[in-house]
Amino acid sequence: MLARTSTIAASCTDVSKSFALIDAGSVWRAAFSNAPDIQRFQALSDVTFEVPKGQFVGVLGHNGAGKSTLLRAVGGVYPADKGVIVINGSMSGLYELGLVGHSQLTGRQYADRLLTVHGFSGRQRAEMIADIHDFSELDERFDDPVQTYSAGMGARLFFATATAGQYEFYLLDEVLAVGDQHFQSKCWKRLMDRIAHGASGILVTHDWSAVIKLCVSAHVLERGKVIFSGPSERASRVYLYGNDSMPEMRADIARIVEAPASPMPCAAGEDFELTAMIEIMKPEPVRIALVIEQLQPGFGWETIVMTRSMQNVGSEPGMYMVHFQVPRLPLAPGSYAVSLQLVASDPELVNQNIIADSRGWLTGNGLELVVTTGNGPAMTLPCKWSLGAATSGPSL
């Protein structure tokens, strides 16, 4: 089915899915009749969201929240009880082994069968299987039964096979949280390449940092229901701390009494200024830091501007005014996140710091900086050009 608009890669509208809870006494009634009296488990309830074209959307949730069920419903593995699922373009899903065979298949046979299901020709499969063999680094184990693989080896095989082709839409289940650091780095590189070529997808995971790194927006599932939809950093905070709770801080030492209204506008190349009012309640040295970050999908949060070191606010109880200034703000037009952190010494651990108060995306109360086009370039770097006739070499 085609998506409603060219800007939407996939959509779910009021999708629900339940499973029959059967035992030895009810299995035959469930198999040969409608069995309306059999108890059912509601795995998904009226789930609605969209995936913009060219973006990955994250789905966070604790065990039993319905993440994997949602991914399989979108992929067509489970038929939804009700609702509409729309996919625009070719799709590849990473759901582990069970979809295309059994554990006695070798890694090579598994890859060949999945690629056959996806409609690739024999010549295409041969080239892609060679790539899968190389990417997975299974070496001679590629021709051993998958049932003899460790969890890490299976993850390498499944990810390499699911992403071997250039699909338009990917469904990924927890893969970025499995395997060693070397393999995870290869996964990120391949995903960034797919995104660079316009791919879209859904990532369901417990790894909130992966969602922040890969996804612009995300959804939090709880008992089969979407309890939050929004920017990935806010979704991560809801997943970690809940809708109403915040990370534990020591606001009894110091707090940010007043901060600028958000969003804060500033033209590129002009001075950026920020003033905050700080209250110190206990006689403790308090310091403050400012960070300006921007989310780069596929790479994560990039620190753009950061104070060189923590700045001293004061050490005696009272009100303090802190003023920051970045001359000729060297940022391109766009949206940035500004974080302020008040830091004090930990009263229980020597040479350790604690956060007294914070304004940031993780705590859900960060400041947005909107940089608009200025009169000139945001930043000019020294550059030398050299022009000459090409003597030889390949054509571009």
Side-chain angles (χ1 to χ4, degrees):
M1 185 182 297
L2 295 177
R4 293 174 307 205
T5 71
S6 60
T7 61
I8 302 300
S11 66
C12 293
T13 306
D14 295 328
V15 173
S16 296
K17 176 64 181 176
S18 63
F19 296 95
L21 300 177
I22 59 176
D23 53 25
S26 59
V27 63
W28 294 108
R29 289 188 295 120
F32 296 104
S33 69
N34 292 329
D37 58 328
I38 291 181
Q39 186 179 1
R40 303 186 69 85
F41 170 72
Q42 195 68 37
L44 298 174
S45 300
D46 300 320
V47 174
T48 297
F49 67 92
E50 292 182 338
V51 180
K53 202 165 188 179
Q55 293 185 19
F56 269 71
V57 167
V59 178
L60 288 162
H62 299 289
N63 289 333
K67 304 187 305 299
S68 296
T69 300
L70 175 61
L71 201 72
R72 286 157 174 73
V74 173
V77 180
Y78 297 153
D81 296 341
K82 75 179 188 71
V84 177
I85 298 172
V86 176
I87 302 293
N88 184 10
S90 58
M91 179 178 65
S92 177
L94 183 58
Y95 318 101
E96 300 178 350
L97 179 66
L99 296 184
V100 294
H102 48 73
S103 58
Q104 293 180 1
L105 288 173
T106 66
R108 186 182 303 276
Q109 291 169 335
Y110 166 81
D112 184 68
R113 184 172 294 190
L114 183 61
L115 296 176
T116 301
V117 170
H118 285 176
F120 292 101
S121 67
R123 180 176 179 180
Q124 289 174 315
R125 295 200 305 276
E127 294 175 353
M128 295 168 74
I129 288 173
D131 173 75
I132 293 167
H133 187 197
D134 178 68
F135 186 91
S136 64
E137 299 178 359
L138 290 173
D139 300 325
E140 68 277 1
R141 296 298 307 278
F142 193 56
D143 291 302
D144 289 345
V146 175
Q147 66 182 0
T148 67
Y149 288 4
S150 66
M153 293 169 65
R156 295 202 299 271
L157 172 66
F158 302 149
F159 182 88
T161 306
T163 59
Q166 182 66 54
Y167 301 91
E168 295 173 275
F169 198 82
Y170 293 89
L171 301 173
L172 303 179
D173 189 353
E174 293 288 0
V175 66
L176 297 176
V178 180
D180 57 25
Q181 189 172 8
H182 166 70
F183 176 68
Q184 289 184 21
S185 145
K186 291 180 65 174
C187 290
W188 281 114
K189 184 176 180 181
R190 175 163 282 193
L191 282 179
M192 287 186 282
D193 175 74
R194 299 299 185 258
I195 293 173
H197 286 83
S200 314
I202 298 174
L203 170 66
V204 303
T205 182
H206 293 92
D207 186 1
W208 62 271
S209 62
V211 169
I212 289 177
K213 187 175 180 180
L214 186 66
C215 309
V216 175
S217 61
H219 311 274
V220 181
L221 277 182
E222 186 175 289
R223 297 182 180 181
K225 296 181 179 180
V226 176
I227 63 169
F228 178 87
S229 298
S232 59
E233 69 274 14
R234 296 182 186 176
S236 298
R237 184 188 68 83
V238 171
Y239 171 68
L240 289 170
Y241 306 113
N243 271 313
D244 302 319
S245 59
M246 292 282 189
E248 185 177 353
M249 298 183 191
R250 291 295 303 275
D252 59 317
I253 297 176
R255 64 191 182 102
I256 301 172
V257 177
E258 185 177 326
S262 183
M264 299 176 290
C266 183
E270 295 185 0
D271 293 351
F272 167 66
E273 299 186 14
L274 181 152
T275 300
M277 189 73 70
I278 310 299
E279 182 182 9
I280 299 178
M281 280 80 77
K282 293 184 177 182
E284 296 281 350
V286 175
R287 293 166 293 164
I288 191 169
L290 176 141
V291 180
I292 301 177
E293 302 168 284
Q294 187 177 46
L295 178 62
Q296 302 286 349
F299 296 90
W301 282 94
E302 299 290 334
T303 299
I304 310 297
V305 176
M306 181 172 60
T307 50
R308 182 175 299 177
S309 60
M310 291 282 184
Q311 303 299 308
N312 291 323
V313 176
S315 58
E316 296 298 327
M319 301 294 293
Y320 296 82
M321 180 177 291
V322 179
H323 182 75
F324 292 95
Q325 183 183 53
V326 181
R328 298 182 298 279
L329 186 67
L331 300 183
S335 177
Y336 300 82
V338 178
S339 298
L340 291 172
Q341 285 197 340
L342 282 183
V343 175
S345 298
D346 192 320
E348 299 178 358
L349 298 176
V350 179
N351 298 324
Q352 296 294 318
N353 295 322
I354 57 173
I355 298 177
D357 198 3
S358 175
R359 296 289 186 274
W361 57 261
L362 185 56
T363 50
N365 56 1
L367 306 172
E368 181 184 8
L369 169 63
V370 178
V371 179
T372 57
T373 304
N375 296 325
M379 179 169 55
T380 302
L381 297 176
C383 181
K384 292 183 179 180
W385 288 90
S386 177
L387 302 177
T391 56
S392 62
S395 301
L396 298 179

